[in-house]
């Protein structure tokens, strides 16, 4: 393998918990909820699927079905889908729905998996090209910069910047072209068997990791180093 492509959420990074997400937005707005109300509201937001990178919605309202299906194809659709889900939940201030969306894009809302830096640095040391291919509606580059991982990434291919999303093989093709590598010598690493598995149609190898909390997956990325020997 001469290149490795990584998914973002659930693969290299994990979003904060729904309760921490809500608490941070409340703090920024100078608002408070008592502990029972905080837990209840966070639970409602989680069931609604309002946190990008968090749990999927238990039900997508009919009026949001189209935006949800195409949410990763543009920044406007992504915001509309997730703030629409958030608005299914009553919050102490209407402005919190947009504040929550803004919060999830901040570097502080994301934590790298414990072995992410080690694996990316090892790949760089071996001369293996690295790309990030993500279904997303916003620019994740600041997250990598803030956590010191940007120096290991050679290219970012983000669905909203191309109007196509995984599993469409064209998105993986964009990444391979940007890195100047052959798909047959490229490994895609991700946590979504359908979306990330789309790289197989291009001829890439595929390796899956479990989408778990950071503390529960200390070394899930290390097998990648054995696959590119």
């Amino acid at each position: 393998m001469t290149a490795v492509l990584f998914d973002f959420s659930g693969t290299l990074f994990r979003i904060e918990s729904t309760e921490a997400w809500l608490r941070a937005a409340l703090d920024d707005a100078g608002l408070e909820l008592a502990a029972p109300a905080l837990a209840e509201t966070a639970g409602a937001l989680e069931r609604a699927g309002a946190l990008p990178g968090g749990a999927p919605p238990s039900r997508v309202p009919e009026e949001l079905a189209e935006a949800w299906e195409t949410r990763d194809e543009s920044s406007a659709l992504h915001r509309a889908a997730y703030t629409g889900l958030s608005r299914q939940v009553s919050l102490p201030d209407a402005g919190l729905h947009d504040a929550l969306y803004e919060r999830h894009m901040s570097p502080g809302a994301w934590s790298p998996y414990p072995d992410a830096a080690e694996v990316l640095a090892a790949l760089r040391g071996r001369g293996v090209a690295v790309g990030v291919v993500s279904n997303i509606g916003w620019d994740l580059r600041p997250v990598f910069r803030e956590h010191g991982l940007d120096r290991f990434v050679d290219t970012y291919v983000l669905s909203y910047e191309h109007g196509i999303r995984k599993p469409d093989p064209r998105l993986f093709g964009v990444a391979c072209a940007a890195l100047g590598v052959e798909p047959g010598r490229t490994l895609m690493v991700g946590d979504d068997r359908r979306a990330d598995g789309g790289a197989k149609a291009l001829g890439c190898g595929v390796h899956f990791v479990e989408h778990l909390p950071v503390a529960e997956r200390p070394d899930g990325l290390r097998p990648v180093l054995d696959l590119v020997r």
Side-chain angles (χ1 to χ4, degrees), residues 23 29 35 54-55 77 90-91 108 139 193 224-225:
R23 187 184 299 111
L77 286 167
S90 178
L91 297 178
D139 186 4
R193 292 183 178 274
V224 170
L225 297 179

Side-chain angles (χ1 to χ4, degrees), residues 54-159:
S58 58
R59 183 186 69 86
V60 177
E62 185 177 348
E63 67 273 16
L64 294 174
E66 184 176 353
W68 176 255
E69 184 62 26
T70 58
R71 65 192 181 281
D72 296 316
E73 294 177 11
S74 78
S75 56
L77 286 167
H78 195 269
R79 180 182 288 270
Y82 282 103
T83 57
L85 291 171
S86 172
R87 288 187 172 91
Q88 307 303 305
V89 179
S90 178
L91 297 178
D93 186 281
L96 280 171
H97 298 290
D98 284 315
L100 284 169
Y101 187 83
E102 294 296 327
R103 166 65 189 177
H104 104 275
M105 295 187 290
S106 66
W110 295 88
S111 296
Y113 280 93
D115 56 345
E118 171 195 338
V119 170
L120 291 174
L123 292 173
R124 174 54 55 89
R126 296 179 188 181
V128 177
V130 169
V132 172
V133 183
S134 177
N135 281 351
I136 199 166
W138 50 277
D139 186 4
L140 52 72
R141 294 172 183 87
V143 176
F144 280 78
R145 287 196 294 269
E146 180 71 20
H147 291 278
L149 300 186
D150 181 65
R151 66 186 186 275
F152 302 126
V153 180
D154 299 295
T155 193
Y156 297 89
V157 177
L158 311 181
S159 62

Side-chain angles (χ1 to χ4, degrees), residues 7 9-11 71 135 166-167 188-198 206-209 211:
D7 174 50
S9 175
T11 300
R71 65 192 181 281
N135 281 351
K166 301 180 290 186
M188 176 67 205
V189 181
D191 67 299
D192 188 319
R193 292 183 178 274
R194 179 178 178 274
D196 300 313
V206 179
H207 175 70
F208 296 108
V209 295
H211 188 147

